[in-house]
Amino acid sequence: MNKFQGRVSDTDLRILRIFKTVVECGGFSAAEVDLNISRAAISIAMSDLEVRLGFRLCQRGRSGFSLTNEGSQVYEYTLQLLSSLEDFRTQINALHQHLKGELNIGITDNLVTLPHTRITRALASLKDKGPQVTINIRMIPPTDVERGVLDGRLHIGIVPDLKILSGLEYRPLYEERSQLYCSDSHPLFKVADKKLSKAALKDFDAVLPAYAQTPDTKAQHQPLTSSATATDREGISFLILTGRYIGFLPDHVADLWVRDGRMRAILPDECHYITQFSAITRKGARANLVLETFLEQLDKT
């Protein structure tokens, strides 16, 4: 029988937080350090939670730790519950104009090297204004950022404008330029661009992104011979640096290797595209002083 009975006690919240940490650490042993309690205490708390809920949350044993289907759902619900509680705490603090609470922000990978440090400066200003604010950053794919903002687990996200969702507000932040690159050990590295044509690029293996793209991006990748894919720009960088592939990278990501003479852009006048990045928040979300302060600082940078 489900023993929550529509009410959540302090004990329930404690064991749900233990469950969340166990999931994010990948098992009981790894969670001991984060929780600062023994593995036996963690096991008791997990067993208690399973009894309260009336079903098994995870498999544990010699084969390792893994969530059941029900466990995965409970984890998602737990994130939503704890986020709602944090929102409540932030709202109460706002009544006193005390800048306390959390800012949960989801960011697409590989943006820290952008020359325009608007996010960094806004985060610094937020911390200066609210020393007790806790900032939690999750580096996750754009679709997960959008989902997190829509369901309330994230207060704000930074994503490329691949599609516009009706439930989100968009604040333009950056324009990111990407070019086609090869490494210094690739046959094209020492070939002058004037001796190259876009059609000739088909003769070389290319790494393509295995994530959503705008029509302009797809058009630039269309002529290339795809023989590898990567789920993020770091993976694309790895393959370009092998000297066996060409591929598109944002200029700010490639810049370090370009300056070291380990990469160069190929046909830059023809092979490039622009990606717009925006800050997203949920439409109709309740007022949140921490988020509002961060957005104010973001607009000022």
Side-chain angles (χ1 to χ4, degrees):
M1 178 179 176
N2 186 330
K3 296 186 179 181
F4 277 84
Q5 297 179 336
R7 294 172 295 177
V8 180
S9 67
D10 289 343
T11 299
D12 297 326
L13 291 174
R14 182 182 68 83
I15 59 177
L16 285 172
R17 288 191 173 98
I18 291 174
F19 170 62
K20 173 179 177 290
T21 302
V22 168
V23 173
E24 293 174 352
C25 289
F28 291 14
S29 298
E32 282 185 274
V33 175
D34 280 20
L35 292 169
N36 196 29
I37 59 176
S38 69
R39 195 184 317 178
I42 295 172
S43 181
I44 291 170
M46 291 290 288
S47 297
D48 187 19
L49 180 58
E50 289 177 329
V51 170
R52 286 167 179 263
L53 293 173
F55 45 73
R56 198 164 182 79
L57 295 171
C58 60
Q59 306 294 339
R60 55 261 199 194
R62 292 184 178 179
S63 60
F65 175 87
S66 63
L67 289 176
T68 62
N69 290 335
E70 293 83 3
S72 294
Q73 289 181 288
V74 171
Y75 174 66
E76 293 298 321
Y77 299 153
T78 298
L79 293 179
Q80 293 175 29
L81 172 62
L82 295 179
S83 176
S84 296
L85 288 172
E86 181 55 38
D87 280 347
F88 174 78
R89 183 163 70 115
T90 303
Q91 301 305 319
I92 297 302
N93 287 332
L95 295 176
H96 301 286
Q97 291 298 298
H98 291 162
L99 201 55
K100 298 179 182 178
E102 293 184 349
L103 178 73
N104 299 319
I105 178 171
I107 305 178
T108 304
D109 71 302
N110 297 123
L111 290 186
V112 70
T113 51
L114 274 166
H116 311 293
T117 56
R118 292 184 62 185
I119 300 171
T120 305
R121 292 202 299 267
L123 289 172
S125 296
L126 174 64
K127 191 62 177 174
D128 289 342
K129 290 180 175 296
Q132 297 182 59
V133 170
T134 300
I135 298 169
N136 302 309
I137 295 179
R138 297 188 67 190
M139 303 301 296
I140 49 180
T143 52
D144 291 341
V145 175
E146 292 165 343
R147 192 178 301 116
V149 173
L150 285 169
D151 67 22
R153 284 180 291 151
L154 297 174
H155 297 117
I156 186 170
I158 312 298
V159 296
D161 292 358
L162 302 176
K163 58 183 182 300
I164 303 300
L165 302 181
S166 60
L168 297 174
E169 299 277 2
Y170 291 79
R171 284 176 168 81
L173 287 181
Y174 304 112
E175 280 192 350
E176 178 188 75
R177 188 172 190 264
S178 296
Q179 298 186 87
L180 185 64
Y181 286 93
C182 70
S183 78
D184 58 340
S185 56
H186 192 276
L188 288 177
F189 189 79
K190 294 182 179 179
V191 178
D193 284 333
K194 63 183 179 181
K195 295 183 179 181
L196 277 177
S197 67
K198 205 167 184 179
L201 298 177
K202 287 186 176 181
D203 296 334
F204 300 92
D205 290 332
V207 51
L208 268 60
Y211 47 81
Q213 305 166 55
T214 64
D216 287 345
T217 305
K218 289 180 180 179
Q220 285 288 346
H221 286 95
Q222 190 66 37
L224 303 181
T225 299
S226 174
S227 59
T229 63
T231 58
D232 54 35
R233 282 93 70 88
E234 186 172 2
I236 292 173
S237 301
F238 269 116
L239 289 172
I240 292 173
L241 288 167
T242 66
R244 306 299 186 271
Y245 302 89
I246 57 176
F248 280 92
L249 281 177
D251 291 346
H252 64 89
V253 174
D255 182 62
L256 173 64
W257 295 299
V258 171
R259 286 189 281 111
D260 286 346
R262 296 185 60 197
M263 275 190 194
R264 82 167 184 91
I266 304 167
L267 297 174
D269 292 338
E270 300 177 60
C271 299
H272 68 269
Y273 58 85
I274 301 294
T275 303
Q276 174 70 51
F277 279 80
S278 294
I280 56 172
T281 52
R282 188 177 61 184
K283 286 183 179 178
R286 288 173 299 176
N288 178 321
L289 186 60
V290 172
L291 175 60
E292 288 174 358
T293 302
F294 177 69
L295 291 174
E296 287 174 5
Q297 300 311 307
L298 201 58
D299 290 339
K300 289 178 180 178
T301 57

